[in-house]
Amino acid sequence: MSRLLLLNKINKYYSINSVSMQVLHDIDLLVEKGESLALVGESGSGKTTLSRIILGLTQPDSGDISWGDNEIRPKVSAVFQNPKDAMNPRKRIWESIAEPLIINEKKRVNYFREKCLRIASEVGLEKNLIDRFPFELSGGQIQRAVIARALIVMPDLVILDEPTSALDISVQAKIINLLIDLQIEYNLTYIFITHDLQLVHYLAKKIFVLKNGKCVEKGEIKDVFSKPNNLYTRKLLEAGGVINIP
Ligand SMILES: Nc1ncnc2c1ncn2[C@@H]1O[C@H](COP(=O)(O)OP(=O)(O)OP(=O)(O)O)[C@@H](O)[C@H]1O
Ligand SMILES: [Mg+2]
């Protein structure tokens, strides 16, 4: 596998009421092409902040980010937790799905609709739904549309920040299976943020554990799950029901 992303000593501070708080401490992270990395840790541990830094939406205070071998920034897409917030309520679904293309390419409307129809069928979104508005779709249908929008640019990396936690249990399983199928089909690279350690087991090959903005453990899932080195990871895995250590 080849290197897609390398974070080197990333630090981030937020200032709240003029008090500076460090939310990420010296984060080193390697993501290789085609792999699926789970980013886990309790609420407030810095997962979303780290993903926003990778997306270029938030600037780190120090540290380096390098991409691939030639330093050209690859395409990074994101799927966030709440599908309803992710779509513009005044735009038809197809326009939102095609938006990342429309911003970058000058083409006729039909070109974008065609691309949109193709990707919608890949994510299991029925054809007739793409002309509706978000309020006319279910949560699961919107999340399929959000995934379609993330994939329409053929991204090098997809960041999935709790992509199923706002959905019903039955819909969650379908979306997770869809994400796994898409990863195999397109050799996608995922950073998967979740609280659900059962899902991690199912979906990812590597795990990165954050606690209070620090990496406390990282490695292959099979190694970390069978023999966590860190006490916090062990507690997290026990609480998540994925290990049972006497
Ligand atoms: N824009 C901001 N301004 C100030 N503080 C922030 C900001 N965004 C996040 N924080 C703080 O940074 C810390 C890390 O937040 P972050 O959203 O990265 O956590 P998280 O691991 O994604 O949590 P969750 O699992 O609840 O989504 C928290 O203490 C949070 O309050
Ligand atoms: Mg978060």
Side-chain angles (χ1 to χ4, degrees):
M1 271 204 254
S2 58
R3 189 182 93 184
L4 177 67
L5 166 67
L6 184 66
L7 302 184
N8 184 27
K9 297 217 175 314
I10 296 289
N11 286 286
K12 177 71 191 171
Y13 298 80
Y14 277 124
S15 173
I16 299 152
N17 300 330
S18 314
V19 179
S20 175
M21 181 179 79
Q22 187 164 8
V23 294
L24 291 175
H25 300 251
D26 282 338
I27 298 296
D28 295 332
L29 170 70
L30 168 69
V31 181
E32 290 179 305
K33 277 185 194 147
E35 81 174 4
S36 179
L37 174 94
L39 185 52
V40 303
E42 64 201 358
S43 186
S45 57
K47 305 181 298 296
T48 296
T49 305
L50 188 57
S51 69
R52 288 179 58 86
I53 287 173
I54 296 169
L55 283 161
L57 300 173
T58 296
Q59 291 308 308
D61 291 296
S62 64
D64 303 311
I65 303 174
S66 50
W67 296 98
D69 305 320
N70 49 12
E71 301 290 317
I72 295 171
R73 191 185 167 84
K75 286 177 266 182
V76 187
S77 295
V79 175
F80 289 111
Q81 183 169 7
N82 201 336
K84 300 230 156 143
D85 294 342
M87 290 271 154
N88 185 333
R90 285 177 293 277
K91 281 191 176 163
R92 292 185 191 278
I93 293 295
W94 81 264
E95 290 173 286
S96 285
I97 292 177
E99 196 172 29
L101 292 182
I102 295 171
I103 291 168
N104 290 309
E105 295 179 45
K106 284 226 165 325
K107 292 272 175 20
R108 287 173 179 275
V109 166
N110 270 352
Y111 168 87
F112 294 119
R113 269 188 67 91
E114 270 310 306
K115 285 243 172 194
C116 188
L117 277 168
R118 220 173 304 153
I119 198 78
S121 107
E122 286 292 314
V123 303
L125 191 68
E126 290 102 9
K127 231 171 149 180
N128 62 316
L129 298 181
I130 69 160
D131 288 311
R132 294 194 187 173
F133 290 97
F135 75 91
E136 296 171 309
L137 265 58
S138 72
Q141 288 167 335
I142 299 183
Q143 200 61 320
R144 284 180 195 269
V146 173
I147 293 168
R149 183 174 59 186
L151 296 187
I152 203 164
V153 294
M154 304 302 277
D156 300 284
L157 172 64
V158 186
I159 296 184
L160 302 146
D161 193 346
E162 301 269 4
T164 58
S165 57
L167 305 173
D168 289 345
I169 294 278
S170 62
V171 182
Q172 281 185 10
K174 287 184 189 143
I175 296 288
I176 292 299
N177 286 329
L178 169 69
L179 290 170
I180 292 171
D181 290 347
L182 290 168
Q183 183 179 33
I184 295 166
E185 192 179 338
Y186 294 111
N187 190 32
L188 293 169
T189 309
Y190 285 161
I191 293 181
F192 191 81
I193 298 175
T194 182
H195 285 104
D196 186 339
L197 287 149
Q198 305 276 356
L199 262 189
V200 169
H201 211 178
Y202 191 56
L203 211 133
K205 288 274 182 298
K206 286 193 189 161
I207 187 167
F208 189 94
V209 186
L210 271 179
K211 181 174 192 289
N212 298 332
K214 293 181 185 146
C215 172
V216 294
E217 186 140 14
K218 58 183 161 185
E220 298 272 332
I221 298 275
K222 59 176 170 39
D223 300 331
V224 174
F225 275 35
S226 62
K227 201 168 174 288
N229 286 318
N230 181 274
L231 186 61
Y232 174 73
T233 313
R234 179 182 283 243
K235 284 190 174 148
L236 205 66
L237 296 176
E238 281 181 311
V242 288
I243 57 166
N244 194 1
I245 295 168

